[in-house]
Amino acid sequence: MNQKKKIDLDENFYVAGASGMVGSAVVRTLKKNGYGKKNNGGNILIPSRQELDLLNAEKVDHWIKSHKPTVVIIAAAKVGGIFANSNQPYDFLLENLKIQNNLIESSFKNNIKRLLFLGSSCIYPKFAKQPIKEEYLLSSELESTNEWYALAKIAGIKLCQSLRVQYNFDAISLMPTNLYGPNDNYHPLNSHVVASLIRKFIEAKKNSYNTVECWGSGNPFREFMHVDDLGEAILFALEHWSPCDKHAPKDSKGNPLTYLNVGTGKDITIKDLSIMIARATGFKGKIEWDLSKPDGTPKKLLDIGNLKNLGWQSNISLEEGIKKTIQDLEHF
């Protein structure tokens, strides 16, 4: 792309959720690309949870007023897998609404230059036509196993969109596919698919187990992306994409899109993913499937054409990314 970048090296970035998997990847990407360097006049603000309670609107507003970020990236959220979403619906809905509303509204009130909100591919209908285009949002019912988290994320996307429509506030959103990589959550019940499987197979190998039990049938298809690819996509969007641009992506009715999908464009069955992870960890036993556990959405592949047409695509293959992730897990 030859056009002038929409952010500068002297920006004062605030990365909300910088200690998490996505937030830490964003910080790595910014630093790698020359942002946050004091000799360029830039800064990256990463307050801890102890320093800033994102559930407290007054504290969030005071902090943003005091520290004056110019670019806000919202990677903070309460996240978890099927088990956590099913058992904590109130927490997943209300906490995520509070976090994002506090950050988005305060950024708007304090005239932030650019804001990027991260949604999730789970916002789309359970039986959406594949691959899933951005405009399929709200066209049908959600997958029940994560609807509380999805509803919160949809509200955040729409809040950003409404502020742009009504007040021309420069807020954009990205919808990443399933993620994995450094700083993932490896809790036995509250983790996502890749992290959960990596933990199971590493422990099985270490303890010389003969079998590993996995949830569901293994038949659903999922798309997985290394979190460092998402970090690059976030920076690319901040630098190069504005819904106001003449050639920016539009829906089928010609309306500018304010949220874009981010993924690899490739999916794999959970069964094949499990085999790939088993091989990467050196586990040679048997994989058994617990059919009493839910499968979730049968297939979820994002249409990534819009971001690709702007000039971005992922670089880390699933096999390479999983091997690297396993190598990084020295604490297991």
Side-chain angles (χ1 to χ4, degrees):
M1 282 211 167
N2 296 319
Q3 69 189 68
K4 186 179 181 298
K5 289 180 180 177
K6 301 180 188 304
I7 55 172
D8 304 305
L9 288 175
D10 63 357
E11 303 290 357
N12 195 19
F13 288 89
Y14 167 34
V15 182
S19 63
M21 177 172 67
V22 173
S24 58
V26 172
V27 173
R28 283 196 301 276
T29 303
L30 290 172
K31 288 180 176 177
K32 188 177 85 173
N33 287 274
Y35 292 95
K37 290 185 177 177
K38 290 192 176 170
N39 60 333
N40 290 331
N43 194 17
I44 301 173
L45 302 164
I46 48 172
S48 67
R49 290 180 186 180
Q50 289 72 37
E51 293 173 276
L52 179 57
D53 178 6
L54 297 179
L55 295 171
N56 187 311
E58 193 177 328
K59 288 181 179 176
V60 170
D61 196 52
H62 176 74
W63 189 93
I64 288 179
K65 241 178 219 156
S66 304
H67 291 83
K68 297 181 170 54
T70 56
V71 178
V72 172
I73 300 166
I74 304 177
K78 180 177 179 62
V79 296
I82 289 176
F83 180 87
N85 273 268
S86 301
N87 287 275
Q88 302 168 46
Y90 171 84
D91 295 343
F92 272 85
L93 181 58
L94 191 59
E95 286 188 30
N96 281 306
L97 284 171
K98 283 182 177 180
I99 290 167
Q100 63 203 35
N101 288 353
N102 292 345
L103 287 165
I104 295 167
E105 186 179 20
S106 182
S107 295
F108 165 63
K109 287 196 302 187
N110 289 286
N111 302 308
I112 300 305
K113 177 179 171 181
R114 295 215 87 186
L115 179 141
L116 188 144
F117 174 72
L118 280 169
S120 165
S121 59
C122 73
I123 64 166
Y124 292 114
K126 178 173 183 174
F127 298 110
K129 186 180 171 186
Q130 306 286 318
I132 306 170
K133 294 180 182 291
E134 288 90 349
E135 60 191 282
Y136 296 168
L137 181 63
L138 296 175
S139 62
S140 183
E141 73 269 17
L142 297 166
E143 160 58 43
S144 61
T145 55
N146 57 22
E147 68 176 326
W148 312 104
Y149 178 77
L151 285 167
K153 286 296 182 182
I154 292 169
I157 297 158
K158 289 298 181 180
L159 179 56
C160 289
Q161 185 181 12
S162 67
L163 284 167
R164 176 175 286 278
V165 169
Q166 191 169 343
Y167 296 106
N168 203 29
F169 178 57
D170 192 4
I172 54 176
S173 302
L174 291 180
M175 304 303 109
T177 190
N178 301 290
L179 301 167
Y180 68 95
N183 291 332
D184 204 345
N185 169 24
Y186 292 89
H187 188 278
L189 289 176
N190 295 336
S191 55
H192 287 112
V193 181
V194 174
S196 172
L197 290 173
I198 286 175
R199 179 191 176 106
K200 282 184 179 183
F201 285 111
I202 286 178
E203 289 185 342
K205 173 74 164 48
K206 280 198 167 183
N207 295 301
S208 302
Y209 296 154
N210 294 320
T211 61
V212 166
E213 185 177 85
C214 298
W215 278 26
S217 67
N219 295 325
F221 282 82
R222 290 290 181 274
E223 178 183 13
F224 298 98
M225 183 171 69
H226 194 281
V227 72
D228 285 346
D229 269 343
L230 177 59
E232 295 289 345
I234 287 167
L235 180 56
F236 178 89
L238 286 169
E239 288 181 337
H240 299 295
W241 170 47
S242 171
C244 300
D245 289 346
K246 184 179 176 184
H247 300 294
K250 296 176 173 56
D251 65 20
S252 58
K253 295 177 182 174
N255 300 312
L257 286 166
T258 59
Y259 54 96
L260 297 180
N261 292 335
V262 189
T264 64
K266 300 171 185 175
D267 60 5
I268 185 173
T269 66
I270 301 299
K271 198 169 278 185
D272 286 341
L273 173 70
S274 302
I275 293 167
M276 184 186 288
I277 293 173
R279 282 182 188 146
T281 58
F283 175 74
K284 299 191 187 328
K286 187 182 176 186
I287 302 172
E288 294 182 343
W289 295 92
D290 181 358
L291 300 178
S292 70
K293 297 295 192 295
D295 270 341
T297 306
K299 185 176 172 73
K300 194 167 66 173
L301 179 66
L302 295 180
D303 185 320
I304 56 169
N306 284 316
L307 196 56
K308 197 171 182 180
N309 289 339
L310 285 173
W312 185 88
Q313 63 182 21
S314 65
N315 288 310
I316 304 170
S317 72
L318 181 57
E319 197 164 10
E320 174 197 350
I322 283 173
K323 282 179 183 173
K324 187 175 183 303
T325 302
I326 290 168
Q327 287 166 3
D328 290 343
L329 285 171
E330 297 174 348
H331 58 279
F332 270 108

